[in-house]
Amino acid sequence: MKTFSGDALTRQKWLPIAIANAVFSVLLAFASPAFLSLANFQSMLVQSAVTAIMAVGMTFIIITAGIDISMGAILFFSSALFAQLMIDTQSYLLAFAAALCCATLLGGINGLLVVRFRMSPLITTLATYSIYRGMAIHMTGAQNIPVPREMGFLGNGRVFGVPVPILILLVIVVAGVYVLNHTRLGVYARAMGSSTRSARESNLPTAPVTIMVYAIGGFVTGVAALILLARVGGLQSGIGIGIEFTVIAAVILGGTKLTGGSGTVIGSVFGAFFLVLIENGLNLMNASPYIYDIVRGTVLLAAVMVDRLSVRRQQKALLAVKAARFDQPQSVGSTT
């Protein structure tokens, strides 16, 4: 029987979404020759950077069989805190540090609540979504706050011709791949997603791992918040609304299972880029911008259905293997 190494299996998980990106890109290239230009490709990468960066953190969370609905609120809170501190202190260093630290802390609080009170991650983060967003609105008075022009470099600047958001995305993706595939945290996260009960019985540090993955989700959301704030040019009250569902869609499209235990960072990035491709394609067809939410929801629903069918097939195959092993001793005994 042919066997696969762990690396080969990992590559296979993001291969379908990579192929989907390639096929859809070819179709869009026929629709518009300008689509294949380097400038357009860089533009799409920059557009997908915020979602892709957040998707790296969401991948860790979903692999543990969790979920974080509050990411959009954390993004808004981080943006609001940075903008408010820039007004009060005029210190970039303090504003950056506070925004990233608070984003990490808010993510960690989500994990702590899930662990401490054995609450559903969905209900927990749905509640903290309202809390975090309410805190941000209270802090800023729901006002639009411009940020200094120099900050635009973070969202629109270039280093050696490469857009800064793309460079930041590359750093986070490399770090995410390494942590997930080459550290104990990644191993423990997969084990928890496969079976939390077995992980606990094996004395794995399930509580610290849960808090850590949610903290990672908060940190990358803070990074994404600063990039988005720089691109937009200031704080707006609508920042972050609904983005968590786009992030979840990207992660599921990338091959991460909602039931946990399996997923890839690279697949999530491909998923984020695929959603930008869809939006780009709709723009080429001069479609209504309101259709994008319908298409995105349909794509997410299809991805979840495929995921559930895949899980069912795996369960049936596992049951068949167990049945074969159970029957084997009986057949051997009957021949003696």
Side-chain angles (χ1 to χ4, degrees), residues 112-169:
L112 180 62
L113 290 173
V114 171
V115 170
R116 180 65 180 82
F117 298 101
R118 299 287 179 91
M119 297 170 62
S120 163
L122 177 63
I123 301 302
T124 300
T125 56
L126 186 61
T128 56
Y129 173 90
S130 297
I131 295 172
Y132 298 160
R133 193 163 192 89
M135 289 166 54
I137 293 175
H138 176 74
M139 177 173 55
T140 61
Q143 296 180 351
N144 294 340
I145 303 175
V147 295
R149 183 178 301 176
E150 294 80 10
M151 190 186 174
F153 176 79
L154 192 63
N156 304 300
R158 291 174 178 265
V159 175
F160 301 113
V162 182
V164 173
I166 296 178
L167 293 176
I168 296 174
L169 172 61

Side-chain angles (χ1 to χ4, degrees), residues 5 31 61-62 68 88 91 105 140-141 154-155 239-240 271 306 316 332:
S5 66
I61 294 171
I62 294 182
D68 191 349
D88 297 339
S91 171
L105 177 62
T140 61
L154 192 63
I239 283 182
V306 170
K316 289 181 179 179
V332 172

Side-chain angles (χ1 to χ4, degrees), residues 12-21 51 55 59 62 245-258 263-278 292 295-307:
Q12 286 184 349
K13 291 170 187 174
W14 54 258
L15 186 59
I17 188 62
I19 294 175
N21 272 284
T51 301
T59 301
I62 294 182
F245 298 110
T246 303
V247 173
I248 293 171
V251 174
I252 301 305
L253 285 172
T256 299
K257 296 185 179 300
L258 272 173
T264 66
V265 168
I266 294 177
S268 299
V269 174
F270 274 125
F273 188 75
F274 184 71
L275 293 175
V276 172
L277 278 179
I278 293 177
Y292 174 67
V295 174
R296 180 182 60 182
T298 303
V299 170
L300 176 58
L301 181 61
V304 172
M305 292 174 65
V306 170
D307 174 71

